[in-house]
Amino acid sequence: MRVALVDYDSGNLHSAEKAFALMGREAGAEVVVTSDPAEVARADRIVLPGDGAFPACRAALDAVPGMVEALHEAIPGAILLARATPPPAFPIPSPTR
């Protein structure tokens, strides 16, 4: 199994690479850090590292030519959305008496 850890200039991926490589050895997987869309498209598993700020992640993915298309090809039906604002909170029903 080949795991692609997508490098879209979000920061230092060294720790994430080490953690996934350790897990990969236990599962017989090869882990690669890559910004090559073709390599991402060939991967069996794809990891998009980030810190929870997906709008910035999406902008960085858009800046890598062909990356978003490779992700859509590799993950049919994937929807890569970024929200400028958080979604509205779900209303909490009042307890019935």
Coordinates of all heavy atoms in Angstrom, one line a residue:
M1 N 0.9 -1.2 0.0 CA 0.0 0.0 0.0 C 0.9 1.2 0.0 O 1.9 1.3 0.7 CB -0.9 0.0 1.2 CG -1.7 1.2 1.3 SD -2.8 1.5 2.8 CE -2.7 0.0 3.7
R2 N 0.5 2.2 -0.8 CA 1.3 3.5 -0.9 C 0.4 4.6 -0.3 O -0.7 4.8 -0.7 CB 1.6 3.8 -2.3 CG 2.5 4.9 -2.5 CD 3.0 4.9 -4.0 NE 3.9 5.9 -4.3 CZ 5.2 5.9 -4.1 NH1 5.7 4.9 -3.5 NH2 6.0 6.9 -4.4
V3 N 1.0 5.3 0.7 CA 0.3 6.5 1.3 C 1.0 7.7 0.9 O 2.2 7.9 1.1 CB 0.4 6.3 2.9 CG1 -0.3 7.5 3.6 CG2 -0.3 5.0 3.3
A4 N 0.2 8.7 0.4 CA 0.8 10.0 0.0 C 0.4 11.0 1.1 O -0.8 11.2 1.4 CB 0.2 10.4 -1.3
L5 N 1.4 11.6 1.7 CA 1.3 12.7 2.6 C 1.5 14.0 1.8 O 2.6 14.3 1.3 CB 2.3 12.6 3.7 CG 2.3 13.6 4.9 CD1 0.9 13.5 5.6 CD2 3.4 13.3 5.8
V6 N 0.4 14.7 1.5 CA 0.4 15.8 0.5 C 1.1 17.0 1.1 O 0.7 17.5 2.2 CB -1.0 16.2 0.1 CG1 -1.0 17.3 -0.9 CG2 -1.7 15.0 -0.5
D7 N 2.1 17.5 0.4 CA 2.9 18.6 0.8 C 2.5 19.8 0.0 O 2.7 19.9 -1.2 CB 4.4 18.4 0.6 CG 5.3 19.5 1.0 OD1 4.8 20.5 1.5 OD2 6.5 19.4 0.8
Y8 N 1.7 20.7 0.6 CA 1.2 21.9 -0.1 C 1.8 23.2 0.6 O 1.1 24.2 0.7 CB -0.3 21.9 -0.2 CG -1.0 21.8 1.2 CD1 -1.4 22.9 1.9 CD2 -1.3 20.5 1.7 CE1 -2.0 22.8 3.1 CE2 -2.0 20.4 2.9 CZ -2.3 21.5 3.6 OH -2.9 21.4 4.8
D9 N 3.0 23.0 1.2 CA 3.7 24.1 1.9 C 2.9 24.6 3.1 O 2.9 25.8 3.4 CB 3.9 25.3 0.9 CG 5.0 25.0 0.0 OD1 5.9 24.2 0.3 OD2 5.0 25.5 -1.2
S10 N 2.3 23.7 3.8 CA 1.6 24.1 5.0 C 2.4 24.1 6.3 O 2.0 24.5 7.3 CB 0.4 23.1 5.3 OG 0.9 21.8 5.6
G11 N 3.7 23.7 6.1 CA 4.6 23.7 7.3 C 5.5 22.5 7.3 O 5.6 21.8 6.3
N12 N 6.1 22.3 8.4 CA 7.1 21.2 8.5 C 6.3 19.9 8.7 O 5.5 19.7 9.6 CB 8.0 21.4 9.7 CG 9.0 20.4 9.9 OD1 9.0 19.4 9.2 ND2 9.9 20.6 10.8
L13 N 6.5 19.0 7.7 CA 5.8 17.7 7.8 C 6.6 16.6 8.3 O 6.2 15.4 8.3 CB 5.4 17.3 6.3 CG 4.4 18.3 5.7 CD1 4.1 17.8 4.3 CD2 3.1 18.4 6.5
H14 N 7.8 16.9 8.9 CA 8.7 15.9 9.3 C 8.1 15.0 10.4 O 8.2 13.8 10.3 CB 10.0 16.5 9.9 CG 11.0 15.5 10.3 ND1 11.7 14.7 9.4 CD2 11.5 15.2 11.6 CE1 12.5 13.9 10.1 NE2 12.4 14.2 11.4
S15 N 7.5 15.6 11.4 CA 6.8 14.8 12.5 C 5.7 13.9 12.0 O 5.6 12.8 12.3 CB 6.3 15.7 13.6 OG 7.4 16.3 14.2
A16 N 4.9 14.5 11.1 CA 3.8 13.7 10.5 C 4.3 12.6 9.7 O 3.8 11.5 9.8 CB 2.9 14.6 9.7
E17 N 5.4 12.8 8.9 CA 6.0 11.8 8.1 C 6.5 10.7 9.0 O 6.3 9.5 8.7 CB 7.1 12.4 7.2 CG 7.8 11.3 6.4 CD 9.0 11.9 5.6 OE1 9.4 13.0 5.9 OE2 9.4 11.2 4.7
K18 N 7.2 11.0 10.1 CA 7.7 10.0 11.0 C 6.6 9.1 11.6 O 6.7 7.9 11.6 CB 8.5 10.6 12.1 CG 9.9 11.1 11.6 CD 10.7 11.9 12.7 CE 10.8 11.0 13.9 NZ 11.7 11.7 14.9
A19 N 5.5 9.8 12.0 CA 4.4 9.1 12.6 C 3.7 8.1 11.6 O 3.5 6.9 11.9 CB 3.4 10.0 13.1
F20 N 3.5 8.6 10.4 CA 2.8 7.8 9.4 C 3.8 6.7 8.9 O 3.4 5.5 8.6 CB 2.4 8.6 8.2 CG 1.0 9.2 8.4 CD1 0.9 10.5 8.9 CD2 -0.2 8.5 8.2 CE1 -0.3 11.1 9.2 CE2 -1.4 9.1 8.5 CZ -1.5 10.4 9.0
A21 N 5.1 6.9 8.8 CA 6.1 5.9 8.4 C 6.1 4.8 9.5 O 6.2 3.6 9.1 CB 7.4 6.5 8.3
L22 N 6.0 5.1 10.8 CA 6.0 4.1 11.8 C 4.7 3.2 11.7 O 4.8 2.0 11.7 CB 6.0 4.8 13.2 CG 5.9 3.8 14.4 CD1 7.1 2.8 14.4 CD2 5.8 4.6 15.7
M23 N 3.6 3.9 11.5 CA 2.3 3.1 11.3 C 2.4 2.3 10.0 O 1.9 1.2 9.9 CB 1.1 4.0 11.3 CG 0.8 4.6 12.6 SD -0.7 5.6 12.6 CE -0.2 7.0 11.6
G24 N 3.0 2.9 9.0 CA 3.1 2.2 7.7 C 4.0 1.0 7.8 O 3.6 0.0 7.2
R25 N 5.0 1.0 8.5 CA 5.9 -0.2 8.7 C 5.1 -1.3 9.3 O 5.2 -2.4 8.9 CB 7.1 0.1 9.5 CG 8.2 0.7 8.8 CD 9.5 0.7 9.6 NE 9.5 1.5 10.8 CZ 9.7 2.8 10.9 NH1 10.0 3.5 9.8 NH2 9.6 3.4 12.1
E26 N 4.3 -1.0 10.3 CA 3.4 -2.0 11.0 C 2.4 -2.6 10.0 O 2.0 -3.7 10.1 CB 2.8 -1.4 12.2 CG 3.8 -1.0 13.3 CD 3.1 -0.3 14.4 OE1 1.9 -0.1 14.4 OE2 3.9 0.1 15.3
A27 N 1.9 -1.8 9.1 CA 0.9 -2.2 8.1 C 1.5 -2.6 6.8 O 0.7 -3.0 5.9 CB -0.1 -1.1 7.9
G28 N 2.8 -2.5 6.6 CA 3.4 -2.9 5.3 C 3.2 -1.8 4.3 O 3.2 -2.1 3.1
A29 N 3.0 -0.6 4.7 CA 2.8 0.5 3.7 C 4.0 1.4 3.5 O 4.8 1.5 4.4 CB 1.6 1.4 4.2
E30 N 4.1 2.0 2.3 CA 5.1 2.9 2.0 C 4.5 4.3 2.1 O 3.5 4.6 1.6 CB 5.7 2.7 0.6 CG 6.7 3.7 0.2 CD 7.0 3.6 -1.3 OE1 6.3 2.8 -2.0 OE2 7.9 4.3 -1.8
V31 N 5.2 5.2 2.9 CA 4.7 6.6 3.0 C 5.6 7.5 2.3 O 6.8 7.5 2.5 CB 4.6 6.9 4.5 CG1 4.2 8.4 4.7 CG2 3.7 6.0 5.3
V32 N 5.0 8.4 1.5 CA 5.8 9.4 0.7 C 5.2 10.8 1.0 O 4.0 10.9 1.1 CB 5.9 9.1 -0.8 CG1 6.6 7.8 -1.1 CG2 4.5 9.1 -1.4
V33 N 6.1 11.7 1.2 CA 5.7 13.1 1.2 C 5.9 13.7 -0.2 O 6.9 13.6 -0.8 CB 6.6 13.9 2.2 CG1 6.2 15.4 2.2 CG2 6.4 13.4 3.6
T34 N 4.8 14.2 -0.7 CA 4.9 14.7 -2.1 C 4.0 15.9 -2.4 O 2.9 16.1 -1.8 CB 4.4 13.5 -3.1 OG1 4.6 13.9 -4.4 CG2 3.0 13.1 -2.8
S35 N 4.4 16.6 -3.4 CA 3.6 17.7 -3.9 C 3.3 17.4 -5.4 O 2.9 18.3 -6.2 CB 4.3 19.1 -3.8 OG 5.6 19.1 -4.4
D36 N 3.6 16.2 -5.8 CA 3.4 15.8 -7.2 C 2.0 15.2 -7.4 O 1.6 14.2 -6.8 CB 4.4 14.7 -7.6 CG 4.3 14.2 -9.0 OD1 3.4 14.7 -9.8 OD2 5.1 13.3 -9.4
P37 N 1.1 15.9 -8.1 CA -0.3 15.5 -8.3 C -0.4 14.0 -8.9 O -1.2 13.3 -8.5 CB -0.9 16.5 -9.3 CG -0.1 17.7 -9.1 CD 1.3 17.2 -8.8
A38 N 0.5 13.7 -9.8 CA 0.5 12.3 -10.3 C 0.8 11.3 -9.2 O 0.1 10.2 -9.2 CB 1.5 12.2 -11.4
E39 N 1.7 11.6 -8.3 CA 2.0 10.6 -7.2 C 0.8 10.5 -6.3 O 0.4 9.5 -5.8 CB 3.2 11.1 -6.5 CG 3.6 10.2 -5.4 CD 5.1 9.9 -5.5 OE1 5.9 10.6 -6.0 OE2 5.4 8.8 -4.9
V40 N 0.1 11.7 -6.0 CA -1.1 11.7 -5.2 C -2.2 10.8 -5.8 O -2.8 10.0 -5.2 CB -1.6 13.1 -4.9 CG1 -3.0 13.1 -4.3 CG2 -0.6 13.9 -4.1
A41 N -2.3 10.9 -7.1 CA -3.4 10.2 -7.9 C -3.1 8.7 -7.8 O -4.0 7.9 -7.8 CB -3.5 10.7 -9.3
R42 N -1.8 8.3 -7.7 CA -1.5 6.9 -7.7 C -1.5 6.2 -6.3 O -1.5 5.0 -6.2 CB -0.1 6.7 -8.3 CG 0.1 6.8 -9.7 CD 1.4 6.4 -10.2 NE 2.5 7.1 -9.6 CZ 3.1 8.2 -10.0 NH1 2.6 8.7 -11.2 NH2 4.1 8.8 -9.4
A43 N -1.7 7.1 -5.3 CA -1.6 6.6 -3.9 C -2.9 5.8 -3.6 O -4.0 6.0 -4.1 CB -1.5 7.7 -2.9
D44 N -2.7 4.8 -2.7 CA -3.8 4.0 -2.2 C -4.5 4.8 -1.0 O -5.7 4.6 -0.9 CB -3.3 2.7 -1.6 CG -2.6 1.8 -2.7 OD1 -3.3 1.5 -3.7 OD2 -1.4 1.6 -2.6
R45 N -3.8 5.6 -0.3 CA -4.3 6.4 0.8 C -3.7 7.8 0.6 O -2.6 7.9 0.3 CB -4.0 5.8 2.1 CG -4.5 4.4 2.4 CD -6.0 4.4 2.5 NE -6.5 3.1 2.9 CZ -6.9 2.1 2.0 NH1 -6.8 2.4 0.8 NH2 -7.3 1.0 2.5
I46 N -4.5 8.8 1.0 CA -4.1 10.2 0.9 C -4.3 10.9 2.2 O -5.4 10.8 2.8 CB -4.8 10.9 -0.3 CG1 -4.6 10.2 -1.6 CG2 -4.4 12.4 -0.3 CD1 -5.5 10.7 -2.7
V47 N -3.3 11.6 2.7 CA -3.4 12.4 3.9 C -3.1 13.8 3.6 O -2.1 14.2 3.0 CB -2.3 11.9 4.9 CG1 -2.4 12.7 6.2 CG2 -2.4 10.4 5.2
L48 N -4.1 14.6 4.0 CA -4.0 16.1 3.8 C -3.8 16.7 5.2 O -4.7 16.8 6.0 CB -5.3 16.7 3.3 CG -5.6 16.5 1.8 CD1 -7.0 17.0 1.5 CD2 -4.6 17.2 1.0
P49 N -2.5 16.9 5.6 CA -2.2 17.4 6.9 C -2.7 18.9 7.1 O -2.8 19.6 6.1 CB -0.7 17.3 7.0 CG -0.2 17.4 5.6 CD -1.3 16.8 4.8
G50 N -3.0 19.2 8.3 CA -3.4 20.6 8.5 C -3.7 20.9 9.9 O -3.6 20.0 10.8
D51 N -4.0 22.1 10.2 CA -4.2 22.5 11.6 C -5.6 22.9 11.9 O -5.9 23.6 12.8 CB -3.3 23.6 12.0 CG -3.5 24.8 11.1 OD1 -4.4 24.8 10.3 OD2 -2.7 25.8 11.3
G52 N -6.5 22.5 11.0 CA -7.9 22.8 11.2 C -8.4 24.1 10.4 O -9.5 24.4 10.4
A53 N -7.5 24.7 9.8 CA -7.8 25.9 9.0 C -7.9 25.5 7.5 O -7.1 25.8 6.7 CB -6.7 27.0 9.2
F54 N -9.0 24.9 7.2 CA -9.2 24.3 5.8 C -9.2 25.4 4.7 O -8.8 25.2 3.6 CB -10.3 23.4 5.7 CG -10.2 22.5 4.5 CD1 -9.3 21.5 4.5 CD2 -10.9 22.8 3.4 CE1 -9.1 20.7 3.3 CE2 -10.8 22.0 2.2 CZ -9.8 20.9 2.2
P55 N -9.8 26.6 5.0 CA -9.7 27.6 3.9 C -8.3 27.9 3.4 O -8.0 28.0 2.2 CB -10.4 28.8 4.5 CG -11.3 28.3 5.5 CD -10.6 27.1 6.1
A56 N -7.4 27.9 4.4 CA -6.0 28.2 4.0 C -5.4 26.9 3.3 O -4.7 27.0 2.3 CB -5.1 28.5 5.2
C57 N -5.8 25.7 3.7 CA -5.4 24.5 3.1 C -5.9 24.5 1.7 O -5.1 24.2 0.8 CB -6.0 23.3 3.9 SG -5.8 21.7 3.1
R58 N -7.2 24.8 1.4 CA -7.7 24.8 0.1 C -7.0 25.7 -0.8 O -6.7 25.4 -2.0 CB -9.2 25.0 0.1 CG -9.9 25.1 -1.2 CD -9.6 23.8 -2.0 NE -9.9 23.9 -3.4 CZ -11.0 23.4 -4.0 NH1 -11.9 22.7 -3.4 NH2 -11.1 23.6 -5.3
A59 N -6.7 26.9 -0.3 CA -6.0 27.9 -1.1 C -4.6 27.4 -1.5 O -4.2 27.6 -2.6 CB -5.9 29.3 -0.4
A60 N -3.9 26.7 -0.6 CA -2.6 26.2 -0.8 C -2.7 25.0 -1.8 O -1.8 24.9 -2.7 CB -1.9 25.7 0.4
L61 N -3.7 24.2 -1.7 CA -3.9 23.1 -2.7 C -4.2 23.7 -4.1 O -3.6 23.2 -5.1 CB -5.1 22.2 -2.3 CG -4.8 21.3 -1.1 CD1 -6.1 20.7 -0.6 CD2 -3.7 20.3 -1.3
D62 N -5.0 24.7 -4.2 CA -5.2 25.4 -5.5 C -4.0 25.9 -6.1 O -3.9 26.0 -7.3 CB -6.3 26.5 -5.3 CG -7.7 26.0 -5.0 OD1 -8.0 24.9 -5.4 OD2 -8.5 26.8 -4.4
A63 N -3.0 26.3 -5.3 CA -1.8 26.9 -5.8 C -0.8 25.9 -6.4 O 0.1 26.2 -7.1 CB -1.0 27.7 -4.7
V64 N -1.1 24.6 -6.1 CA -0.2 23.5 -6.7 C -0.9 23.0 -8.0 O -2.0 22.4 -7.9 CB -0.1 22.3 -5.7 CG1 0.8 21.2 -6.4 CG2 0.6 22.8 -4.4
P65 N -0.3 23.3 -9.2 CA -1.0 23.0 -10.4 C -1.3 21.5 -10.5 O -0.5 20.6 -10.3 CB 0.0 23.4 -11.5 CG 0.9 24.4 -10.8 CD 0.9 24.0 -9.4
G66 N -2.6 21.2 -10.7 CA -3.1 19.9 -10.9 C -3.4 19.1 -9.7 O -3.9 18.0 -9.7
M67 N -3.1 19.7 -8.5 CA -3.3 18.9 -7.2 C -4.8 18.6 -6.9 O -5.2 17.5 -6.6 CB -2.7 19.6 -6.0 CG -2.8 18.8 -4.7 SD -2.0 17.2 -4.8 CE -0.3 17.7 -4.8
V68 N -5.7 19.6 -7.1 CA -7.1 19.4 -6.8 C -7.7 18.4 -7.7 O -8.5 17.5 -7.3 CB -7.9 20.8 -6.8 CG1 -9.4 20.6 -6.7 CG2 -7.4 21.7 -5.6
E69 N -7.3 18.5 -9.0 CA -7.8 17.5 -10.0 C -7.3 16.1 -9.6 O -8.1 15.2 -9.8 CB -7.3 17.9 -11.4 CG -7.9 19.2 -11.9 CD -7.2 20.5 -11.4 OE1 -6.2 20.4 -10.6 OE2 -7.8 21.6 -11.6
A70 N -6.1 16.0 -9.2 CA -5.5 14.7 -8.8 C -6.3 14.1 -7.6 O -6.6 12.9 -7.6 CB -4.1 14.8 -8.5
L71 N -6.6 15.0 -6.7 CA -7.4 14.5 -5.5 C -8.8 14.1 -5.9 O -9.3 13.0 -5.5 CB -7.5 15.6 -4.5 CG -6.2 15.9 -3.7 CD1 -6.3 17.2 -3.0 CD2 -5.8 14.8 -2.8
H72 N -9.4 14.8 -6.8 CA -10.8 14.4 -7.3 C -10.7 13.1 -8.1 O -11.6 12.3 -8.0 CB -11.4 15.5 -8.1 CG -12.0 16.6 -7.3 ND1 -13.1 16.5 -6.6 CD2 -11.6 17.9 -7.2 CE1 -13.4 17.6 -6.0 NE2 -12.5 18.5 -6.3
E73 N -9.6 12.9 -8.8 CA -9.5 11.7 -9.6 C -9.2 10.5 -8.6 O -9.8 9.4 -8.8 CB -8.3 11.8 -10.5 CG -8.0 10.6 -11.4 CD -6.8 10.7 -12.3 OE1 -6.7 11.8 -12.9 OE2 -6.1 9.8 -12.4
A74 N -8.4 10.7 -7.6 CA -8.1 9.7 -6.7 C -9.2 9.3 -5.7 O -9.3 8.2 -5.3 CB -6.8 10.0 -5.9
I75 N -10.1 10.3 -5.5 CA -11.2 10.1 -4.5 C -12.5 10.5 -5.2 O -12.9 11.6 -5.1 CB -11.0 11.0 -3.2 CG1 -9.6 10.9 -2.7 CG2 -12.0 10.6 -2.2 CD1 -9.2 11.9 -1.7
P76 N -13.0 9.6 -6.0 CA -14.2 9.9 -6.7 C -15.3 10.4 -5.8 O -15.6 9.8 -4.7 CB -14.7 8.6 -7.4 CG -13.4 7.8 -7.5 CD -12.6 8.2 -6.2
G77 N -16.0 11.5 -6.2 CA -17.0 12.0 -5.4 C -16.6 12.9 -4.2 O -17.4 13.4 -3.5
A78 N -15.3 13.1 -4.1 CA -14.7 14.0 -3.0 C -15.2 15.4 -3.3 O -15.2 15.9 -4.4 CB -13.2 13.9 -3.0
I79 N -15.5 16.1 -2.2 CA -15.9 17.5 -2.2 C -14.9 18.2 -1.3 O -14.9 18.0 -0.1 CB -17.3 17.7 -1.8 CG1 -18.3 16.9 -2.7 CG2 -17.7 19.2 -1.8 CD1 -19.7 16.9 -2.2
L80 N -14.1 19.0 -1.9 CA -13.1 19.8 -1.2 C -13.6 21.2 -1.0 O -13.4 22.1 -1.9 CB -11.7 19.8 -1.9 CG -11.1 18.4 -2.0 CD1 -9.9 18.5 -2.9 CD2 -10.9 17.7 -0.7
L81 N -14.3 21.5 0.1 CA -14.9 22.8 0.3 C -14.1 23.5 1.4 O -13.5 22.9 2.2 CB -16.3 22.7 0.8 CG -17.3 22.0 -0.2 CD1 -18.7 21.9 0.5 CD2 -17.4 22.8 -1.5
A82 N -14.2 24.8 1.3 CA -13.6 25.6 2.3 C -14.6 26.7 2.7 O -15.2 27.3 1.8 CB -12.3 26.3 1.9
R83 N -14.8 26.9 3.9 CA -15.8 27.9 4.4 C -15.0 29.1 5.0 O -14.1 28.9 5.7 CB -16.7 27.3 5.5 CG -17.7 26.3 5.1 CD -18.5 25.9 6.3 NE -19.4 24.9 6.0 CZ -20.7 25.2 5.7 NH1 -21.1 26.4 5.6 NH2 -21.5 24.2 5.5
A84 N -15.5 30.2 4.6 CA -14.9 31.4 5.1 C -15.4 31.6 6.6 O -14.7 32.2 7.4 CB -15.3 32.7 4.3
T85 N -16.6 31.2 6.9 CA -17.1 31.3 8.2 C -17.5 29.9 8.7 O -17.9 29.0 7.8 CB -18.3 32.2 8.3 OG1 -19.3 31.8 7.4 CG2 -17.9 33.6 7.9
P86 N -17.6 29.6 9.9 CA -18.1 28.3 10.4 C -19.5 28.1 10.0 O -20.3 29.1 9.9 CB -17.8 28.3 11.9 CG -17.6 29.7 12.3 CD -17.2 30.5 11.0
P87 N -20.0 26.9 9.9 CA -21.4 26.6 9.6 C -22.2 27.1 10.8 O -21.7 27.1 12.0 CB -21.5 25.1 9.4 CG -20.3 24.6 10.2 CD -19.2 25.6 10.1
P88 N -23.5 27.4 10.6 CA -24.4 27.8 11.7 C -24.5 26.6 12.7 O -24.5 25.5 12.3 CB -25.7 28.2 11.0 CG -25.7 27.5 9.7 CD -24.2 27.3 9.3
A89 N -24.7 27.0 13.9 CA -24.9 26.0 15.0 C -26.2 25.3 14.8 O -27.2 26.0 14.4 CB -24.7 26.6 16.3
F90 N -26.3 24.1 15.1 CA -27.6 23.4 15.1 C -28.4 23.9 16.3 O -27.9 24.0 17.4 CB -27.4 21.9 15.2 CG -26.8 21.3 14.0 CD1 -25.5 20.9 13.9 CD2 -27.6 21.1 12.8 CE1 -25.0 20.4 12.8 CE2 -27.1 20.6 11.7 CZ -25.7 20.2 11.7
P91 N -29.7 24.2 16.1 CA -30.5 24.6 17.2 C -30.7 23.4 18.2 O -30.8 22.3 17.8 CB -31.8 25.0 16.6 CG -31.9 24.3 15.3 CD -30.5 24.1 14.9
I92 N -30.6 23.8 19.5 CA -30.8 22.7 20.5 C -32.3 22.9 21.0 O -32.7 24.0 21.4 CB -29.9 23.0 21.7 CG1 -28.4 22.9 21.2 CG2 -30.2 22.0 22.8 CD1 -27.4 23.2 22.2
P93 N -33.1 21.8 20.8 CA -34.5 21.9 21.2 C -34.6 22.1 22.7 O -33.8 21.6 23.5 CB -35.1 20.6 20.8 CG -33.9 19.7 20.5 CD -32.7 20.5 20.3
S94 N -35.7 22.9 23.0 CA -36.0 23.1 24.5 C -36.6 21.8 25.0 O -37.3 21.1 24.3 CB -37.0 24.2 24.6 OG -36.5 25.4 24.1
P95 N -36.2 21.5 26.3 CA -36.8 20.3 26.9 C -38.3 20.4 27.0 O -38.8 21.5 27.3 CB -36.1 20.2 28.2 CG -35.4 21.5 28.5 CD -35.3 22.2 27.2
T96 N -39.0 19.3 26.8 CA -40.5 19.4 26.9 C -40.8 19.1 28.4 O -40.1 18.4 29.1 CB -41.1 18.3 26.0 OG1 -40.6 17.1 26.3 CG2 -41.0 18.7 24.6
R97 N -41.8 19.8 28.8 CA -42.2 19.6 30.3 C -43.6 18.9 30.3 O -44.4 18.9 29.6 CB -42.3 21.0 30.9 CG -41.0 21.6 31.0 CD -41.1 22.9 31.7 NE -39.8 23.5 31.6 CZ -39.2 24.2 32.5 NH1 -39.9 24.4 33.6 NH2 -38.1 24.8 32.3

